[in-house]
Amino acid sequence: MRLLVTRPEPDAGREADALIALGHDPVRAPLLEIEFLSDVPLPLDDAQGVVITSRNTIRALANHPDVDQVLELPVFAVGEATAWAARQLGFREVTIGPGTGAGLPPLIRREVHRGKGPLVHIGAEKVAFDLKGALEEDGFELRRIVLYRSHPVDTLTQEVVSELKSGAISGVLLMSPRTARTFTRLAQAEGLVPEAKGLVCYCLSKAIAEAVAPLGLPVRVPTYAREEDLLALLNSGASSS
């Protein structure tokens, strides 16, 4: 199956390799570009742990002058892939979340004592879920540190547009609500619907499926927000949405 890979590099390349191994034909078209920020301080005083919701945060931390201080703290990772990257960087105490930011508060409420100090959420300028608001409602203190920004691309290449309109591309993989919103905007601008009605959107979570819903395309969502479960849908055709 010919599939559009929309996540930013270098994850687009890694996902494309996984698709090739499964016998698929990936077309890389990253819809977000990542800008890492330099000289951002890490206010870790009194922190009892950090929260990381993307592998791009791990990449940003790898080049940060204060990374050794961060690695001394326990980390809550949004999902298995981010947890693996955190261990590779050098975090020793890693708690694995369910795969989405919205799934982290229940885990943190069970594992973290409110009175032992703040948590530090290190990540992007724009986040899909308001983790700070959700936790502060329960009396937790959460500091946010922005180490990178993501910028939506302005256009799809004409080659990709032509393949989508002709039906040569059978599905698009969408891994974040912002990517899904970007794809929706660009698809509408190019008039891909109704020409691409046969296109299936493989969405990592229900929030992502909601973001692409305006296109009216078929949607597939795995039961769990894990990349391996999403890839499994490509052959099963199953959906939990």
Side-chain angles (χ1 to χ4, degrees):
M1 183 159 44
R2 195 157 170 81
L3 297 160
L4 194 66
V5 176
T6 61
R7 67 191 318 174
E9 296 288 5
D11 287 324
R14 182 189 54 77
E15 188 168 81
D17 289 342
L19 289 169
I20 291 170
L22 293 171
H24 298 292
D25 182 14
V27 178
R28 285 154 64 171
L31 297 184
L32 299 177
E33 296 175 347
I34 304 301
E35 175 196 1
F36 293 109
L37 305 179
S38 60
D39 302 323
V40 176
L42 298 180
L44 301 174
D45 294 347
D46 303 321
Q48 62 172 310
V50 299
V51 183
I52 294 177
T53 50
S54 79
R55 274 173 290 187
N56 280 314
T57 298
I58 301 296
R59 295 180 184 114
L61 282 173
N63 296 312
H64 198 283
D66 298 326
V67 63
D68 289 341
Q69 297 177 38
V70 183
L71 296 178
E72 294 297 320
L73 294 170
V75 60
F76 289 87
V78 67
E80 293 178 4
T82 302
W84 180 87
R87 291 191 185 98
Q88 293 297 112
L89 183 62
F91 282 100
R92 292 183 293 275
E93 187 177 340
V94 181
T95 300
I96 304 173
T100 65
L104 282 172
L107 178 63
I108 290 172
R109 292 181 191 113
R110 290 195 303 268
E111 301 291 334
V112 176
H113 192 283
R114 295 174 181 82
K116 290 186 176 180
L119 291 167
V120 179
H121 180 199
I122 307 174
E125 183 177 49
K126 294 185 178 181
V127 293
F129 176 75
D130 182 14
L131 185 65
K132 181 177 174 67
L135 289 175
E136 287 184 345
E137 286 181 0
D138 292 328
F140 292 90
E141 180 184 351
L142 186 76
R143 299 173 187 160
R144 282 202 66 216
I145 301 175
V146 175
L147 287 189
Y148 72 94
R149 300 187 181 103
S150 58
H151 304 283
V153 301
D154 294 326
T155 59
L156 294 167
T157 67
Q158 284 308 301
E159 291 82 0
V160 167
V161 170
S162 297
E163 289 203 51
L164 288 168
K165 286 185 175 181
S166 69
I169 293 176
S170 302
V172 53
L173 276 66
L174 298 167
M175 308 298 286
S176 74
R178 196 169 188 210
T179 302
R181 288 192 294 270
T182 301
F183 180 73
T184 298
R185 172 176 57 81
L186 297 178
Q188 289 172 332
E190 293 288 350
L192 294 180
V193 180
E195 290 185 73
K197 277 295 185 183
L199 186 71
V200 177
C201 296
Y202 293 91
C203 302
L204 187 65
S205 70
K206 290 184 178 180
I208 297 170
E210 291 170 1
V212 81
L215 293 180
L217 297 171
V219 171
R220 302 286 183 268
V221 183
T223 301
Y224 301 103
R226 299 182 302 197
E227 186 177 18
E228 59 267 33
D229 292 322
L230 180 65
L231 297 181
L233 288 181
L234 300 175
N235 294 325
S236 70
S239 171
S240 67
S241 60

